[in-house]
Amino acid sequence: AFNPTIAYVIAVAILGTLETGAALDLLFRAFAPAALRSQLVAVDGVAARVLRGPPRAEGAAADVEEEGGKEAEEDDGIALRATAVAGLATSATISLVYMLASQTTLIAVPDEIFALLNNIIGWGICLQTLGSLSFSSFGAACTLLVGLLLYDAWWTFYTPVMVTVATKIEAPIKFQFPILPDAATSLSNYPYSILGLGDVVVPGIFIGFLYSFERARLDQGRPTAPYSLTGLSAYGVGLLLTFTANRITAAGQPALFYIVPCLLLATLALAQRHGELARLIEFDAKPRSGSEAVGEEER
């Protein structure tokens, strides 16, 4: 019979394999020897058609370069960077071991190793998501953050849904940290402390917005406050409060319940102190035309 939970886990694992492979490609390109970085691996057949994607418009150039690792395209196949192949092979191996350990009895791994495999896949998903999404305005960011705070708090404090999903579905949708032997917890049968990927991605997108505002002010030759660093510090404080509450209450805690107030209060206080609150609220992070940029610079 069709099992939606297993289908969900497989879908997330496949997504994690692709995203982690792309992230590892960037890592390998940064640290691998020059000879490996410049080496290409030929791919043809079905794999080439899948990687090539839909046919391009007539007259398009034959050679393309994309972040996913595609370097050149020919009639019979494509050539991938060796680092892209290595990244995808590594992530596929990690995902396979993770799936066998979490969904079958074929492989047994220590809790620490299982958490590491899970966290590597989660890291890849987070990294690629942070590079793909952004907030266009402070108002949109605040609306989403506060909405997710209320959502997180409701489903954690007033229902068992969040805790049940986090502990009963083994998929790389969370970061796992082995519980200390003396740590009191209401989840006595679950060997990990948990941090959802959303608790990393959503605050990370907000901090990216703060960095955009900071860079825009500096590009205009105007001094500004360290908003992104303040955001990172506030996020760290929020996480500390989350784990402290978890340790004291021995119960699951909604991380955004602590992180969001820290982020917003720290950001607003910093902007108010430096007289940039109005500019921060009005800032539009979307790409602007030259005339719009000039108008902003004159303000």
Side-chain angles (χ1 to χ4, degrees):
F2 175 75
N3 188 326
T5 301
I6 296 298
Y8 171 73
V9 172
I10 293 174
V12 174
I14 293 174
L15 172 65
T17 299
L18 298 174
E19 301 289 19
T20 303
L24 289 174
D25 174 31
L26 295 176
L27 188 65
F28 292 158
R29 287 163 62 187
F31 296 102
L36 180 61
R37 293 199 302 268
S38 60
Q39 185 175 352
L40 299 179
V41 177
V43 179
D44 54 17
V46 176
R49 290 194 293 272
V50 171
L51 291 172
R52 182 184 294 126
R56 293 174 298 156
E58 184 177 354
D63 293 332
V64 295
E65 182 171 344
E66 299 176 357
E67 290 184 1
K70 197 183 298 181
E71 287 286 355
E73 184 174 337
E74 302 172 354
D75 292 338
D76 297 330
I78 60 175
L80 297 178
R81 285 189 299 268
T83 54
V85 175
L88 187 59
T90 302
S91 66
T93 301
I94 291 172
S95 295
L96 178 61
V97 174
Y98 173 84
M99 289 294 296
L100 291 176
S102 64
Q103 305 300 324
T104 74
T105 58
L106 297 177
I107 296 179
V109 298
D111 291 341
E112 295 80 3
I113 301 300
F114 183 80
L116 177 62
L117 297 174
N118 173 89
N119 293 349
I120 291 174
I121 301 172
W123 162 78
I125 295 175
C126 282
L127 194 62
Q128 295 300 309
T129 304
L130 286 171
S132 304
L133 302 178
S134 62
F135 289 124
S136 61
S137 68
F138 187 76
C142 288
T143 300
L144 182 61
L145 285 171
V146 173
L148 289 176
L149 181 157
L150 297 175
Y151 174 89
D152 208 11
W154 170 263
W155 290 105
T156 302
F157 286 139
Y158 296 102
T159 76
V161 171
M162 283 292 191
V163 173
T164 300
V165 170
T167 58
K168 300 301 183 183
I169 299 180
E170 282 301 341
I173 55 174
K174 59 202 173 188
F175 289 108
Q176 296 175 321
F177 308 95
I179 295 177
L180 298 175
D182 62 338
T185 175
S186 63
L187 309 175
S188 56
N189 295 326
Y190 197 71
Y192 307 105
S193 292
I194 302 167
L195 182 67
L197 299 190
D199 300 328
V200 177
V201 170
V202 177
I205 298 173
F206 179 74
I207 294 172
F209 172 82
L210 295 180
Y211 179 76
S212 297
F213 175 73
E214 189 178 325
R215 290 302 311 171
R217 298 292 292 169
L218 293 174
D219 289 344
Q220 296 166 10
R222 300 174 184 272
T224 188
Y227 288 95
S228 55
L229 181 59
T230 299
L232 284 172
S233 301
Y235 179 75
V237 171
L239 274 184
L240 180 61
L241 291 175
T242 303
F243 284 108
T244 300
N246 176 259
R247 185 68 181 267
I248 292 174
T249 64
Q253 298 293 318
L256 293 180
F257 184 77
Y258 303 93
I259 293 171
V260 170
C262 290
L263 278 176
L264 295 183
L265 290 176
T267 300
L268 293 172
L270 184 64
Q272 178 64 33
R273 179 181 177 183
H274 288 266
E276 296 181 317
L277 183 57
R279 292 188 179 91
L280 176 64
I281 293 175
E282 296 172 0
F283 176 66
D284 186 353
K286 294 184 294 185
R288 297 166 297 170
S289 65
S291 59
E292 290 175 328
V294 171
E296 175 66 20
E297 187 172 351
E298 291 175 350
R299 293 180 54 186

